[in-house]
Amino acid sequence: TWTTSNTTVDFLDVTITRQHDRLRYEPFSKAISKFLYIPYLSFHPRHAKLGMIKTELLRLDRLSSDNHAFDKQKHLFFMRLRARGYPTRLLEPMFDQFLTKRLQHTNTTNDHTDTTIPPLILTAPLSRFALQTRLRDVVNPDSAPLEYLSVPPIPRVLIAYSYPKSLGQQLISARYHPPQQQQQQQQQDL
């Protein structure tokens, strides 16, 4: 069966709805889905069951555009887990802990929210020094040497580590010349 709508579409595991000038989305599941989560009495390790619950809560949170959609999906997930044999004394602390972390995450203010200033990206070869030293502490924008520079404040520093070339990669790159360079080299020899 299929349906058509000018305001709603089901795409993969998301239902997207157009309301006035906004898009609203929430998790979608097929009508024939049985929601066969790992049963509580299975012989899976406890950490696998707890990880499945945390992961599903995180997925429901990310696929919900607002708190109302998330609360509805969270309640359905709770009831489905209860139907699979999970005790309330196990689920309630996990759900409360997830909601507390979610609330803390949404309420925290990040000093680096100004997206107009791009981050400073530093590349460093991956070495023993890089592993033993926290380069982020060495290259702190608040450190004294950067105070005297006439640059705008750097909101954040991103450090990208690069693996050094292996001996095989160095030998191959030294021996290989792209076709354009070979032709230019032949013309110069003539």
Side-chain angles (χ1 to χ4, degrees):
T1 62
W2 55 275
T3 59
T4 60
S5 173
N6 292 333
T7 58
T8 302
V9 65
D10 298 326
F11 180 73
L12 298 177
D13 59 347
V14 180
T15 298
I16 304 170
T17 307
R18 184 180 65 196
Q19 291 180 340
H20 308 292
D21 60 344
R22 291 190 59 206
L23 288 179
R24 187 174 178 277
Y25 51 92
E26 63 183 5
F28 166 75
S29 55
K30 294 182 179 179
I32 61 171
S33 178
K34 303 239 189 251
F35 302 102
L36 299 176
Y37 301 113
I38 300 171
Y40 182 70
L41 296 177
S42 75
F43 287 103
H44 286 81
R46 181 179 170 89
H47 68 271
K49 297 172 190 173
L50 300 180
M52 179 268 304
I53 294 170
K54 288 178 185 176
T55 304
E56 184 66 10
L57 282 171
L58 186 61
R59 186 184 80 83
L60 294 175
D61 184 30
R62 288 186 178 163
L63 294 181
S64 300
S65 62
D66 54 23
N67 287 335
H68 177 70
F70 175 68
D71 289 340
K72 182 176 92 173
Q73 294 296 325
K74 176 188 60 128
H75 177 71
L76 289 172
F77 181 51
F78 185 87
M79 298 312 290
R80 290 171 185 147
L81 289 175
R82 290 288 296 128
R84 298 294 284 172
Y86 285 83
T88 306
R89 68 180 185 279
L90 172 75
L91 295 177
E92 283 181 347
M94 287 187 63
F95 277 61
D96 290 342
Q97 180 183 10
F98 181 82
L99 293 174
T100 303
K101 285 183 181 179
R102 180 176 183 258
L103 195 63
Q104 288 172 352
H105 179 68
T106 57
N107 288 341
T108 56
T109 56
N110 191 354
D111 294 338
H112 311 305
T113 55
D114 187 8
T115 58
T116 59
I117 302 173
L120 174 65
I121 301 174
L122 301 175
T123 57
L126 187 62
S127 64
R128 182 171 289 173
F129 171 76
L131 293 175
Q132 292 175 348
T133 308
R134 288 194 49 147
L135 291 180
R136 188 172 310 281
D137 294 339
V138 173
V139 189
N140 186 358
D142 299 329
S143 62
L146 292 177
E147 287 178 4
Y148 302 106
L149 296 176
S150 61
V151 296
I154 301 167
R156 58 190 167 144
V157 176
L158 298 179
I159 300 175
Y161 295 102
S162 62
Y163 284 104
K165 285 187 174 181
S166 67
L167 180 60
Q169 290 171 334
Q170 290 176 0
L171 291 175
I172 290 172
S173 64
R175 194 172 19 164
Y176 175 73
H177 299 287
Q180 293 176 350
Q181 289 180 352
Q182 287 179 352
Q183 291 173 357
Q184 291 173 356
Q185 193 172 12
Q186 290 173 357
Q187 290 175 356
Q188 289 175 356
D189 291 343
L190 294 177

